[in-house]
Amino acid sequence: MDIEEIRKDFPILGTMRNGKYLAYLDSAATSQKPNAVIDAISDYYRNYNANIHRGLYDISMKATDAYVHSKELVSEMINAGSYRNIIYCRNTTEAINLAALTWAEEKIHEGDHILITKMEHHSNIVPWQLLVKRKKAVLDYVEVDDSFKVDMEDYAEKVSLGPKLVSFTHVSNVLGSINDAKKMTSMAHGNGAVVLVDGAQSVPHIKVDVEDIGCDFFAFSSHKMLGPAGIGVLYGKEEILEGIQPALGGGDMIRSVDFDESTWNELPWKFEAGTPNIEGGIGLGAAVEYLKKVGIENIRKHELDLTAYALKRFEEDKGITVYGIRSEGMESGNRAGVISFNIEGAHPHDTSTIFDSENIAIRAGHHCAMPLVNKVIGVPAVARMSFYLYNKEEEVDRVIEAVEKVRKVLRLGRKA
Ligand code: 7TS
């Protein structure tokens, strides 16, 4: 993988501020976009902008084909079996909410248990809090252990109590821990639960095979995997999707409508009411093609190398605390390129602001995982850098220099 060649595909990485290139280290929040994606969206607007599934004219059929083709590409990427299992919605958040408002709305009843973990993003907490309130059901949490992984003993114990639904993140957006989704799914299935996996931080970075994992639902966002914002994916097993009612009604999701009742369109359209985000689908398709061309395994290897390098540099500095698996605990399958940290004596917001003065973009805060950051890690906020295929070691070196600048500006002593 030639990083310099890859970087040329991302116009934003060529921009400078105060003579410094943008070091974009916030891909866990959203990724940058390659020309292939920008051009695919522009091409649609310029050359075949039309609504889908209705026009019996050339550009409408072309738009329909492109939209459906993007689903075929997504389906192939995660080994979903068919595009029929690929529902487009706005993002991971909406995908999880969609599962909550359809499957869970029908199947969860008073007294039922839903099991999630203490390392979830708010998107995989709040929809279940809302649901259990509506249903008088119960929400349980699996502990995170001292090495920042899901506590598998606690998981085994809680899953054996027979929750109706188990939902967990594949990769933590704060800790970078990669959960063993296949094992967790099989344990949940062994106890009769339906399983939803939040793949917002996995699909962009590691090879995902939903058939191999065996989960029933899988959610992710286009904007974190080089595609445009405003489009996300809910994968569902066909037999489950066939057996539940849609949550949103309107155009496109019906087969026939009468004054009293209606019948539903076939999958996946049954769950996509109204004109969809056509340009978003087309842009996501282009992103998947780009990722395929570079190769997700190559991307993973590059991010792993970069993460190991960054951890080593951080671990040389006793004044930096890393919240996540350290380099000695790293195995090829347990850690993604997300590093949360704090510089002793510095508030992460100050760290981020001082980094910004060096044109380095990181994120600081609770990262939409307040229970994890505030209660499990036990700090108000953390700084976080996150990598993607276009990042390089020099950017990590710039971070190390910026850490010294933080200490200088805030007049902190360095702990050797
Ligand atoms: N789940 C996980 C694990 C995430 O990291 C995120 C977004 C979401 C769900 C929600 O995705 P959305 O596309 O619906 O917003 N995570 C982050 C982040 O870490 N910083 O900004 C957004």
Side-chain angles (χ1 to χ4, degrees):
M1 217 168 99
D2 185 340
I3 302 305
E4 289 308 327
E5 280 307 306
I6 282 174
R7 288 175 68 84
K8 286 186 198 151
D9 292 336
F10 293 79
I12 205 166
L13 301 179
T15 62
M16 286 183 129
R17 218 178 76 227
N18 302 328
K20 289 183 175 124
Y21 282 110
L22 171 67
Y24 187 74
L25 297 169
D26 197 18
S27 293
T30 198
S31 73
Q32 295 303 342
K33 320 301 174 197
N35 284 320
V37 169
I38 300 167
D39 293 347
I41 296 168
S42 167
D43 181 45
Y44 163 69
Y45 279 138
R46 288 173 193 281
N47 295 311
Y48 61 104
N49 175 61
N51 211 327
I52 61 165
H53 285 156
R54 46 203 92 195
L56 290 173
Y57 51 87
D58 183 59
I59 57 171
S60 174
M61 290 187 286
K62 206 171 164 204
T64 305
D65 286 349
Y67 189 75
V68 173
H69 183 55
S70 85
K71 290 200 182 216
E72 288 168 346
L73 290 165
V74 168
S75 165
E76 186 199 340
M77 182 181 187
I78 62 164
N79 195 25
S82 162
Y83 80 90
R84 291 164 55 80
N85 309 327
I86 303 296
I87 299 163
Y88 279 168
C89 43
R90 278 191 304 160
N91 43 40
T92 306
T93 305
E94 193 171 283
I96 296 171
N97 276 278
L98 187 59
L101 293 168
T102 54
W103 180 86
E105 190 64 31
E106 284 179 38
K107 311 291 181 191
I108 301 289
H109 305 293
E110 188 171 342
D112 286 345
H113 285 242
I114 292 175
L115 183 61
I116 63 176
T117 80
K118 287 191 175 175
M119 64 164 74
E120 301 308 314
H121 185 278
H122 297 164
S123 297
N124 201 25
I125 301 174
V126 185
W128 309 122
Q129 289 177 338
L130 291 168
L131 184 90
V132 298
K133 212 161 245 171
R134 285 200 299 279
K135 299 289 178 179
K136 296 197 177 69
V138 184
L139 184 59
D140 299 317
Y141 291 85
V142 181
E143 298 295 331
V144 174
D145 68 21
D146 293 341
S147 56
F148 303 104
K149 293 185 230 155
V150 167
D151 183 330
M152 289 303 281
E153 245 171 65
D154 192 49
Y155 180 70
E157 198 176 310
K158 286 178 176 150
V159 97
S160 75
L161 299 175
K164 274 267 180 75
L165 173 74
V166 172
S167 185
F168 57 86
T169 192
H170 198 179
V171 174
S172 163
N173 67 316
V174 176
L175 307 170
S177 317
I178 302 176
N179 290 319
D180 188 340
K182 185 174 177 173
K183 185 169 173 191
M184 289 174 75
T185 298
S186 120
M187 287 165 76
H189 280 167
N191 288 282
V194 159
V195 176
L196 185 151
V197 179
D198 173 352
Q201 299 291 352
S202 64
V203 173
H205 305 281
I206 60 177
K207 175 83 191 119
V208 168
D209 181 330
V210 290
E211 200 181 290
D212 182 56
I213 292 170
C215 57
D216 302 285
F217 292 105
F218 193 95
F220 56 104
S221 297
S222 152
H223 70 94
K224 293 187 199 289
M225 52 186 287
L226 311 182
I231 187 142
V233 178
L234 177 66
Y235 155 84
K237 274 188 183 156
E238 192 160 333
E239 60 272 24
I240 291 188
L241 296 177
E242 288 286 10
I244 54 178
Q245 295 296 301
L248 302 175
D252 227 27
M253 51 74 71
I254 50 83
R255 175 162 292 138
S256 70
V257 177
D258 207 339
F259 290 116
D260 298 323
E261 52 185 339
S262 306
T263 57
W264 313 138
N265 201 344
E266 61 191 33
L267 291 175
W269 317 116
K270 169 177 151 186
F271 293 101
E272 292 185 30
T275 299
N277 182 353
I278 302 164
E279 57 274 55
I282 289 167
L284 171 56
V288 172
E289 277 183 320
Y290 185 91
L291 289 169
K292 196 167 136 185
K293 196 179 77 192
V294 179
I296 199 83
E297 264 98 12
N298 295 330
I299 294 172
R300 168 69 183 145
K301 178 164 186 328
H302 172 66
E303 289 176 20
L304 207 53
D305 291 347
L306 213 47
T307 305
Y309 178 71
L311 283 173
K312 268 221 176 88
R313 299 287 326 252
F314 269 6
E315 286 162 9
E316 285 162 8
D317 185 331
K318 298 287 172 274
I320 295 177
T321 306
V322 171
Y323 308 101
I325 297 167
R326 308 285 294 249
S327 55
E328 76 272 8
M330 240 173 104
E331 289 157 21
S332 63
N334 72 354
R335 202 190 197 303
V338 174
I339 302 180
S340 288
F341 65 98
N342 271 327
I343 304 168
E344 195 178 325
H347 192 285
H349 286 168
D350 292 331
T351 301
S352 178
T353 304
I354 295 165
F355 276 28
D356 179 53
S357 70
E358 293 294 313
N359 210 11
I360 300 171
I362 61 159
R363 193 179 160 188
H366 53 64
H367 309 280
C368 298
M370 285 175 85
L372 172 65
V373 171
N374 300 346
K375 297 270 179 65
V376 178
I377 298 176
V379 295
V382 296
R384 179 189 71 183
M385 61 176 174
S386 51
F387 302 127
Y388 212 173
L389 72 168
Y390 36 66
N391 292 118
K392 50 183 181 175
E393 283 189 1
E394 281 123 281
E395 291 172 322
V396 175
D397 296 338
R398 279 174 64 188
V399 165
I400 300 296
E401 280 167 34
V403 168
E404 291 311 324
K405 183 167 178 185
V406 170
R407 291 190 172 118
K408 210 161 130 203
V409 172
L410 300 179
R411 298 176 199 282
L412 305 171
R414 187 191 193 304
K415 278 207 172 171

